[in-house]
Amino acid sequence: EAFADEIGQVLAHGVGPSLSQTSLARIGRGILKAVRRHRVRVPHKYALLIKALITVEGAARGLHGEFDMEGAARDYLGPLVMLHYGPVRAAELVWRLATLTALAQAQRQLPD
């Protein structure tokens, strides 16, 4: 339960109103920190994915401070997701991401 609470806090502080205002690096670092602190086992491929996202976002924003991760992800990943999962599963994934974003935003607005 403590791990889930910490992940909720990480998402609440890292997720912005849009993906372009969301810090994947902050979220990734927070998740990795929580994983280490609570000694949660994460498959190696997911830990590497988080580290790669942190690196890519940091490099892109370092080169261009106004880098739009949302636009880049949409343009590149949209067709791949549709091809790999099909329209129904892709819509389900988008719905889950939108729900997660809305929940994180709502949690930020709740009183402590």
Side-chain angles (χ1 to χ4, degrees):
E1 187 173 312
F3 176 70
D5 289 343
E6 188 168 343
I7 295 299
Q9 290 175 0
V10 165
L11 291 174
H13 294 339
V15 174
S18 69
L19 191 54
S20 63
Q21 296 173 323
T22 295
S23 173
L24 295 178
R26 179 183 295 168
I27 292 170
R29 283 191 301 270
I31 289 172
L32 291 176
K33 185 189 258 184
V35 163
R36 283 191 303 272
R37 183 183 355 269
H38 296 281
R39 299 176 191 225
V40 174
R41 294 185 63 104
V42 175
H44 187 66
K45 65 183 177 182
Y46 295 122
L48 286 176
L49 177 62
I50 291 170
K51 289 179 181 181
L53 286 172
I54 291 169
T55 302
V56 167
E57 182 188 37
R61 290 195 185 198
L63 292 171
H64 189 280
E66 298 297 317
F67 176 71
D68 177 17
M69 184 69 108
E70 180 179 9
R74 186 183 326 107
D75 294 345
Y76 179 73
L77 294 177
L80 290 177
V81 169
M82 290 294 283
L83 180 66
H84 185 70
Y85 292 108
V88 173
R89 181 74 173 126
E92 182 181 303
L93 292 171
V94 168
W95 178 255
R96 286 184 181 182
L97 179 60
T99 302
L100 178 63
T101 302
L103 287 173
Q105 289 172 349
Q107 183 181 7
R108 272 198 309 261
Q109 295 173 358
L110 293 174
D112 289 332

